[in-house]
mmCIF file of all heavy atoms in Angstrom:
data_model
loop_
_atom_site.group_PDB
_atom_site.id
_atom_site.type_symbol
_atom_site.label_atom_id
_atom_site.label_comp_id
_atom_site.label_asym_id
_atom_site.label_seq_id
_atom_site.Cartn_x
_atom_site.Cartn_y
_atom_site.Cartn_z
ATOM 1 N N GLU Z 1265 -14.300 -14.256 14.267
ATOM 2 C CA GLU Z 1265 -14.885 -13.223 15.110
ATOM 3 C C GLU Z 1265 -16.411 -13.318 15.064
ATOM 4 O O GLU Z 1265 -16.993 -13.410 13.979
ATOM 5 C CB GLU Z 1265 -14.461 -11.833 14.631
ATOM 6 C CG GLU Z 1265 -12.957 -11.625 14.601
ATOM 7 C CD GLU Z 1265 -12.355 -11.525 15.974
ATOM 8 O OE1 GLU Z 1265 -13.088 -11.153 16.912
ATOM 9 O OE2 GLU Z 1265 -11.152 -11.814 16.114
ATOM 10 N N PRO Z 1266 -17.063 -13.297 16.214
ATOM 11 C CA PRO Z 1266 -18.531 -13.255 16.194
ATOM 12 C C PRO Z 1266 -19.002 -11.900 15.687
ATOM 13 O O PRO Z 1266 -18.325 -10.889 15.842
ATOM 14 C CB PRO Z 1266 -18.912 -13.456 17.661
ATOM 15 C CG PRO Z 1266 -17.733 -12.936 18.423
ATOM 16 C CD PRO Z 1266 -16.525 -13.247 17.585
ATOM 17 N N GLY Z 1267 -20.147 -11.892 15.052
ATOM 18 C CA GLY Z 1267 -20.673 -10.621 14.565
ATOM 19 C C GLY Z 1267 -21.639 -10.842 13.424
ATOM 20 O O GLY Z 1267 -21.784 -11.950 12.904
ATOM 21 N N ASP Z 1268 -22.279 -9.764 13.026
ATOM 22 C CA ASP Z 1268 -23.287 -9.826 11.967
ATOM 23 C C ASP Z 1268 -22.603 -10.010 10.619
ATOM 24 O O ASP Z 1268 -21.740 -9.221 10.234
ATOM 25 C CB ASP Z 1268 -24.112 -8.540 11.963
ATOM 26 C CG ASP Z 1268 -25.344 -8.647 11.088
ATOM 27 O OD1 ASP Z 1268 -25.479 -9.656 10.368
ATOM 28 O OD2 ASP Z 1268 -26.172 -7.730 11.135
ATOM 29 N N THR Z 1269 -22.981 -11.069 9.890
ATOM 30 C CA THR Z 1269 -22.446 -11.303 8.551
ATOM 31 C C THR Z 1269 -23.495 -10.986 7.485
ATOM 32 O O THR Z 1269 -23.383 -11.419 6.348
ATOM 33 C CB THR Z 1269 -21.949 -12.750 8.394
ATOM 34 O OG1 THR Z 1269 -23.028 -13.649 8.694
ATOM 35 C CG2 THR Z 1269 -20.777 -13.017 9.316
ATOM 36 N N TYR Z 1270 -24.536 -10.241 7.876
ATOM 37 C CA TYR Z 1270 -25.524 -9.719 6.941
ATOM 38 C C TYR Z 1270 -26.160 -10.822 6.089
ATOM 39 O O TYR Z 1270 -26.299 -10.704 4.874
ATOM 40 C CB TYR Z 1270 -24.889 -8.632 6.063
ATOM 41 C CG TYR Z 1270 -24.368 -7.482 6.877
ATOM 42 C CD1 TYR Z 1270 -23.053 -7.495 7.355
ATOM 43 C CD2 TYR Z 1270 -25.179 -6.415 7.213
ATOM 44 C CE1 TYR Z 1270 -22.574 -6.455 8.138
ATOM 45 C CE2 TYR Z 1270 -24.705 -5.363 7.995
ATOM 46 C CZ TYR Z 1270 -23.402 -5.396 8.453
ATOM 47 O OH TYR Z 1270 -22.940 -4.369 9.231
ATOM 48 N N GLY Z 1271 -26.522 -11.899 6.762
ATOM 49 C CA GLY Z 1271 -27.239 -12.970 6.087
ATOM 50 C C GLY Z 1271 -26.371 -13.970 5.371
ATOM 51 O O GLY Z 1271 -26.883 -14.942 4.797
ATOM 52 N N ILE Z 1272 -25.065 -13.782 5.384
ATOM 53 C CA ILE Z 1272 -24.148 -14.726 4.731
ATOM 54 C C ILE Z 1272 -23.670 -15.745 5.760
ATOM 55 O O ILE Z 1272 -23.329 -15.393 6.887
ATOM 56 C CB ILE Z 1272 -22.947 -13.971 4.127
ATOM 57 C CG1 ILE Z 1272 -23.425 -13.035 3.018
ATOM 58 C CG2 ILE Z 1272 -21.915 -14.946 3.577
ATOM 59 C CD1 ILE Z 1272 -22.324 -12.183 2.450
ATOM 60 N N GLU Z 1273 -23.639 -16.994 5.370
ATOM 61 C CA GLU Z 1273 -23.185 -18.048 6.269
ATOM 62 C C GLU Z 1273 -21.731 -17.818 6.649
ATOM 63 O O GLU Z 1273 -20.896 -17.463 5.807
ATOM 64 C CB GLU Z 1273 -23.329 -19.406 5.592
ATOM 65 C CG GLU Z 1273 -22.884 -20.582 6.457
ATOM 66 C CD GLU Z 1273 -22.951 -21.908 5.722
ATOM 67 O OE1 GLU Z 1273 -23.490 -21.938 4.598
ATOM 68 O OE2 GLU Z 1273 -22.448 -22.906 6.280
ATOM 69 N N SER Z 1274 -21.415 -17.996 7.915
ATOM 70 C CA SER Z 1274 -20.028 -17.846 8.365
ATOM 71 C C SER Z 1274 -19.395 -19.216 8.563
ATOM 72 O O SER Z 1274 -20.069 -20.191 8.886
ATOM 73 C CB SER Z 1274 -19.963 -17.044 9.660
ATOM 74 O OG SER Z 1274 -20.597 -17.728 10.712
ATOM 75 N N LEU Z 1275 -18.082 -19.244 8.376
ATOM 76 C CA LEU Z 1275 -17.313 -20.479 8.544
ATOM 77 C C LEU Z 1275 -16.080 -20.158 9.360
ATOM 78 O O LEU Z 1275 -15.293 -19.278 8.987
ATOM 79 C CB LEU Z 1275 -16.908 -21.039 7.177
ATOM 80 C CG LEU Z 1275 -16.084 -22.340 7.172
ATOM 81 C CD1 LEU Z 1275 -16.888 -23.491 7.767
ATOM 82 C CD2 LEU Z 1275 -15.641 -22.671 5.750
ATOM 83 N N PRO Z 1276 -15.896 -20.834 10.507
ATOM 84 C CA PRO Z 1276 -14.706 -20.543 11.329
ATOM 85 C C PRO Z 1276 -13.415 -20.858 10.576
ATOM 86 O O PRO Z 1276 -13.316 -21.894 9.902
ATOM 87 C CB PRO Z 1276 -14.877 -21.457 12.541
ATOM 88 C CG PRO Z 1276 -16.323 -21.830 12.559
ATOM 89 C CD PRO Z 1276 -16.759 -21.848 11.132
ATOM 90 N N ILE Z 1277 -12.452 -19.984 10.714
ATOM 91 C CA ILE Z 1277 -11.138 -20.248 10.122
ATOM 92 C C ILE Z 1277 -10.371 -21.241 10.979
ATOM 93 O O ILE Z 1277 -9.781 -22.203 10.484
ATOM 94 C CB ILE Z 1277 -10.334 -18.938 9.993
ATOM 95 C CG1 ILE Z 1277 -11.068 -17.947 9.081
ATOM 96 C CG2 ILE Z 1277 -8.929 -19.210 9.478
ATOM 97 C CD1 ILE Z 1277 -10.496 -16.546 9.126
ATOM 98 N N THR Z 1278 -10.393 -21.023 12.276
ATOM 99 C CA THR Z 1278 -9.591 -21.820 13.205
ATOM 100 C C THR Z 1278 -10.491 -22.746 14.007
ATOM 101 O O THR Z 1278 -11.277 -22.289 14.851
ATOM 102 C CB THR Z 1278 -8.803 -20.903 14.159
ATOM 103 O OG1 THR Z 1278 -8.052 -19.961 13.390
ATOM 104 C CG2 THR Z 1278 -7.851 -21.720 15.018
ATOM 105 N N ARG Z 1279 -10.416 -24.010 13.715
ATOM 106 C CA ARG Z 1279 -11.087 -25.040 14.511
ATOM 107 C C ARG Z 1279 -10.404 -26.354 14.193
ATOM 108 O O ARG Z 1279 -9.706 -26.474 13.174
ATOM 109 C CB ARG Z 1279 -12.577 -25.096 14.208
ATOM 110 C CG ARG Z 1279 -12.957 -25.656 12.846
ATOM 111 C CD ARG Z 1279 -14.473 -25.687 12.704
ATOM 112 N NE ARG Z 1279 -14.876 -26.238 11.422
ATOM 113 C CZ ARG Z 1279 -16.136 -26.242 10.991
ATOM 114 N NH1 ARG Z 1279 -17.097 -25.705 11.750
ATOM 115 N NH2 ARG Z 1279 -16.441 -26.756 9.819
ATOM 116 N N PRO Z 1280 -10.562 -27.372 15.046
ATOM 117 C CA PRO Z 1280 -9.869 -28.642 14.787
ATOM 118 C C PRO Z 1280 -10.298 -29.257 13.451
ATOM 119 O O PRO Z 1280 -11.484 -29.457 13.184
ATOM 120 C CB PRO Z 1280 -10.305 -29.525 15.964
ATOM 121 C CG PRO Z 1280 -10.672 -28.561 17.043
ATOM 122 C CD PRO Z 1280 -11.265 -27.381 16.344
ATOM 123 N N ARG Z 1281 -9.326 -29.487 12.599
ATOM 124 C CA ARG Z 1281 -9.545 -30.164 11.324
ATOM 125 C C ARG Z 1281 -8.351 -31.064 11.043
ATOM 126 O O ARG Z 1281 -7.219 -30.729 11.387
ATOM 127 C CB ARG Z 1281 -9.666 -29.164 10.166
ATOM 128 C CG ARG Z 1281 -10.864 -28.230 10.201
ATOM 129 C CD ARG Z 1281 -10.846 -27.326 8.977
ATOM 130 N NE ARG Z 1281 -12.019 -26.451 8.892
ATOM 131 C CZ ARG Z 1281 -12.055 -25.194 9.328
ATOM 132 N NH1 ARG Z 1281 -10.976 -24.670 9.897
ATOM 133 N NH2 ARG Z 1281 -13.163 -24.474 9.216
ATOM 134 N N ARG Z 1282 -8.594 -32.166 10.409
ATOM 135 C CA ARG Z 1282 -7.470 -33.012 9.978
ATOM 136 C C ARG Z 1282 -6.780 -32.334 8.805
ATOM 137 O O ARG Z 1282 -7.445 -31.791 7.907
ATOM 138 C CB ARG Z 1282 -7.971 -34.394 9.561
ATOM 139 C CG ARG Z 1282 -8.622 -35.177 10.701
ATOM 140 C CD ARG Z 1282 -8.980 -36.579 10.249
ATOM 141 N NE ARG Z 1282 -7.808 -37.340 9.836
ATOM 142 C CZ ARG Z 1282 -7.856 -38.580 9.353
ATOM 143 N NH1 ARG Z 1282 -9.030 -39.199 9.223
ATOM 144 N NH2 ARG Z 1282 -6.756 -39.202 9.006
ATOM 145 N N PRO Z 1283 -5.438 -32.308 8.791
ATOM 146 C CA PRO Z 1283 -4.735 -31.674 7.664
ATOM 147 C C PRO Z 1283 -5.242 -32.215 6.336
ATOM 148 O O PRO Z 1283 -5.437 -33.423 6.168
ATOM 149 C CB PRO Z 1283 -3.268 -32.036 7.905
ATOM 150 C CG PRO Z 1283 -3.178 -32.264 9.374
ATOM 151 C CD PRO Z 1283 -4.494 -32.867 9.780
ATOM 152 N N GLY Z 1284 -5.479 -31.303 5.408
ATOM 153 C CA GLY Z 1284 -6.042 -31.700 4.130
ATOM 154 C C GLY Z 1284 -4.989 -31.921 3.064
ATOM 155 O O GLY Z 1284 -3.813 -31.596 3.230
ATOM 156 N N THR Z 1285 -5.444 -32.466 1.942
ATOM 157 C CA THR Z 1285 -4.585 -32.656 0.779
ATOM 158 C C THR Z 1285 -4.722 -31.449 -0.130
ATOM 159 O O THR Z 1285 -5.843 -31.050 -0.466
ATOM 160 C CB THR Z 1285 -4.993 -33.923 0.012
ATOM 161 O OG1 THR Z 1285 -4.888 -35.041 0.885
ATOM 162 C CG2 THR Z 1285 -4.111 -34.120 -1.214
ATOM 163 N N PRO Z 1286 -3.618 -30.846 -0.540
ATOM 164 C CA PRO Z 1286 -3.727 -29.641 -1.376
ATOM 165 C C PRO Z 1286 -4.457 -29.938 -2.682
ATOM 166 O O PRO Z 1286 -4.123 -30.910 -3.370
ATOM 167 C CB PRO Z 1286 -2.262 -29.257 -1.634
ATOM 168 C CG PRO Z 1286 -1.484 -29.912 -0.540
ATOM 169 C CD PRO Z 1286 -2.219 -31.175 -0.216
ATOM 170 N N PRO Z 1287 -5.439 -29.129 -3.026
ATOM 171 C CA PRO Z 1287 -6.111 -29.318 -4.311
ATOM 172 C C PRO Z 1287 -5.243 -28.830 -5.461
ATOM 173 O O PRO Z 1287 -4.252 -28.118 -5.257
ATOM 174 C CB PRO Z 1287 -7.366 -28.446 -4.172
ATOM 175 C CG PRO Z 1287 -6.978 -27.388 -3.198
ATOM 176 C CD PRO Z 1287 -6.004 -28.027 -2.246
ATOM 177 N N ALA Z 1288 -5.615 -29.233 -6.659
ATOM 178 C CA ALA Z 1288 -4.905 -28.742 -7.842
ATOM 179 C C ALA Z 1288 -5.261 -27.278 -8.051
ATOM 180 O O ALA Z 1288 -6.440 -26.918 -8.102
ATOM 181 C CB ALA Z 1288 -5.296 -29.566 -9.060
ATOM 182 N N GLU Z 1289 -4.246 -26.430 -8.151
ATOM 183 C CA GLU Z 1289 -4.521 -25.006 -8.294
ATOM 184 C C GLU Z 1289 -5.011 -24.696 -9.705
ATOM 185 O O GLU Z 1289 -4.665 -25.374 -10.669
ATOM 186 C CB GLU Z 1289 -3.269 -24.191 -7.963
ATOM 187 C CG GLU Z 1289 -2.876 -24.288 -6.494
ATOM 188 C CD GLU Z 1289 -1.806 -23.277 -6.115
ATOM 189 O OE1 GLU Z 1289 -1.865 -22.130 -6.594
ATOM 190 O OE2 GLU Z 1289 -0.920 -23.632 -5.329
ATOM 191 N N PRO Z 1290 -5.817 -23.650 -9.840
ATOM 192 C CA PRO Z 1290 -6.427 -23.334 -11.137
ATOM 193 C C PRO Z 1290 -5.455 -22.655 -12.101
ATOM 194 O O PRO Z 1290 -4.296 -22.397 -11.769
ATOM 195 C CB PRO Z 1290 -7.573 -22.404 -10.758
ATOM 196 C CG PRO Z 1290 -7.135 -21.762 -9.490
ATOM 197 C CD PRO Z 1290 -6.321 -22.793 -8.767
ATOM 198 N N ALA Z 1291 -5.974 -22.327 -13.292
ATOM 199 C CA ALA Z 1291 -5.162 -21.715 -14.338
ATOM 200 C C ALA Z 1291 -4.762 -20.294 -13.957
ATOM 201 O O ALA Z 1291 -5.408 -19.628 -13.141
ATOM 202 C CB ALA Z 1291 -5.941 -21.711 -15.649
ATOM 203 N N ALA Z 1292 -3.688 -19.830 -14.619
ATOM 204 C CA ALA Z 1292 -3.116 -18.519 -14.290
ATOM 205 C C ALA Z 1292 -4.089 -17.380 -14.494
ATOM 206 O O ALA Z 1292 -4.076 -16.395 -13.764
ATOM 207 C CB ALA Z 1292 -1.856 -18.293 -15.127
ATOM 208 N N GLY Z 1293 -4.953 -17.478 -15.486
ATOM 209 C CA GLY Z 1293 -5.845 -16.381 -15.799
ATOM 210 C C GLY Z 1293 -7.038 -16.250 -14.879
ATOM 211 O O GLY Z 1293 -7.800 -15.273 -14.975
ATOM 212 N N GLU Z 1294 -7.224 -17.210 -13.979
ATOM 213 C CA GLU Z 1294 -8.379 -17.169 -13.082
ATOM 214 C C GLU Z 1294 -8.248 -16.030 -12.068
ATOM 215 O O GLU Z 1294 -7.146 -15.699 -11.611
ATOM 216 C CB GLU Z 1294 -8.519 -18.494 -12.342
ATOM 217 C CG GLU Z 1294 -8.865 -19.674 -13.238
ATOM 218 C CD GLU Z 1294 -10.243 -19.526 -13.851
ATOM 219 O OE1 GLU Z 1294 -11.184 -19.142 -13.116
ATOM 220 O OE2 GLU Z 1294 -10.381 -19.771 -15.058
ATOM 221 N N ALA Z 1295 -9.384 -15.441 -11.698
ATOM 222 C CA ALA Z 1295 -9.384 -14.385 -10.688
ATOM 223 C C ALA Z 1295 -9.004 -14.960 -9.335
ATOM 224 O O ALA Z 1295 -9.438 -16.057 -8.971
ATOM 225 C CB ALA Z 1295 -10.754 -13.727 -10.624
ATOM 226 N N ALA Z 1296 -8.214 -14.227 -8.581
ATOM 227 C CA ALA Z 1296 -7.753 -14.687 -7.272
ATOM 228 C C ALA Z 1296 -8.316 -13.833 -6.145
ATOM 229 O O ALA Z 1296 -8.822 -14.356 -5.156
ATOM 230 C CB ALA Z 1296 -6.222 -14.673 -7.224
ATOM 231 N N LEU Z 1297 -8.201 -12.524 -6.276
ATOM 232 C CA LEU Z 1297 -8.621 -11.599 -5.214
ATOM 233 C C LEU Z 1297 -9.556 -10.542 -5.775
ATOM 234 O O LEU Z 1297 -9.442 -10.146 -6.938
ATOM 235 C CB LEU Z 1297 -7.404 -10.888 -4.604
ATOM 236 C CG LEU Z 1297 -6.343 -11.718 -3.890
ATOM 237 C CD1 LEU Z 1297 -5.184 -10.813 -3.479
ATOM 238 C CD2 LEU Z 1297 -6.918 -12.435 -2.686
ATOM 239 N N VAL Z 1298 -10.453 -10.085 -4.929
ATOM 240 C CA VAL Z 1298 -11.259 -8.895 -5.212
ATOM 241 C C VAL Z 1298 -11.010 -7.931 -4.058
ATOM 242 O O VAL Z 1298 -11.434 -8.174 -2.930
ATOM 243 C CB VAL Z 1298 -12.757 -9.213 -5.337
ATOM 244 C CG1 VAL Z 1298 -13.538 -7.930 -5.648
ATOM 245 C CG2 VAL Z 1298 -13.003 -10.263 -6.418
ATOM 246 N N LEU Z 1299 -10.271 -6.867 -4.336
ATOM 247 C CA LEU Z 1299 -9.920 -5.879 -3.322
ATOM 248 C C LEU Z 1299 -10.747 -4.627 -3.551
ATOM 249 O O LEU Z 1299 -10.772 -4.084 -4.663
ATOM 250 C CB LEU Z 1299 -8.428 -5.533 -3.382
ATOM 251 C CG LEU Z 1299 -7.437 -6.689 -3.237
ATOM 252 C CD1 LEU Z 1299 -6.012 -6.156 -3.253
ATOM 253 C CD2 LEU Z 1299 -7.696 -7.476 -1.973
ATOM 254 N N TYR Z 1300 -11.408 -4.162 -2.510
ATOM 255 C CA TYR Z 1300 -12.273 -2.992 -2.641
ATOM 256 C C TYR Z 1300 -11.485 -1.719 -2.364
ATOM 257 O O TYR Z 1300 -10.747 -1.623 -1.382
ATOM 258 C CB TYR Z 1300 -13.487 -3.117 -1.717
ATOM 259 C CG TYR Z 1300 -14.569 -3.932 -2.389
ATOM 260 C CD1 TYR Z 1300 -14.481 -5.321 -2.425
ATOM 261 C CD2 TYR Z 1300 -15.622 -3.312 -3.050
ATOM 262 C CE1 TYR Z 1300 -15.444 -6.081 -3.085
ATOM 263 C CE2 TYR Z 1300 -16.590 -4.060 -3.711
ATOM 264 C CZ TYR Z 1300 -16.492 -5.439 -3.723
ATOM 265 O OH TYR Z 1300 -17.438 -6.178 -4.394
ATOM 266 N N THR Z 1301 -11.637 -0.762 -3.280
ATOM 267 C CA THR Z 1301 -10.899 0.483 -3.181
ATOM 268 C C THR Z 1301 -11.846 1.650 -3.421
ATOM 269 O O THR Z 1301 -12.736 1.576 -4.266
ATOM 270 C CB THR Z 1301 -9.735 0.526 -4.196
ATOM 271 O OG1 THR Z 1301 -8.995 1.732 -4.035
ATOM 272 C CG2 THR Z 1301 -10.237 0.442 -5.630
ATOM 273 N N SER Z 1302 -11.668 2.697 -2.657
ATOM 274 C CA SER Z 1302 -12.543 3.861 -2.762
ATOM 275 C C SER Z 1302 -12.062 4.794 -3.852
ATOM 276 O O SER Z 1302 -10.852 5.004 -4.020
ATOM 277 C CB SER Z 1302 -12.588 4.615 -1.430
ATOM 278 O OG SER Z 1302 -13.144 3.812 -0.422
#
Side-chain angles (χ1 to χ4, degrees):
E1265 302 289 335
D1268 192 352
T1269 57
Y1270 300 90
I1272 296 176
E1273 180 184 352
S1274 65
L1275 180 63
I1277 299 168
T1278 307
R1279 71 178 181 188
R1281 295 181 176 96
R1282 297 185 61 182
T1285 301
E1289 293 191 39
E1294 294 294 316
L1297 297 175
V1298 181
L1299 303 183
Y1300 276 79
T1301 183
S1302 297

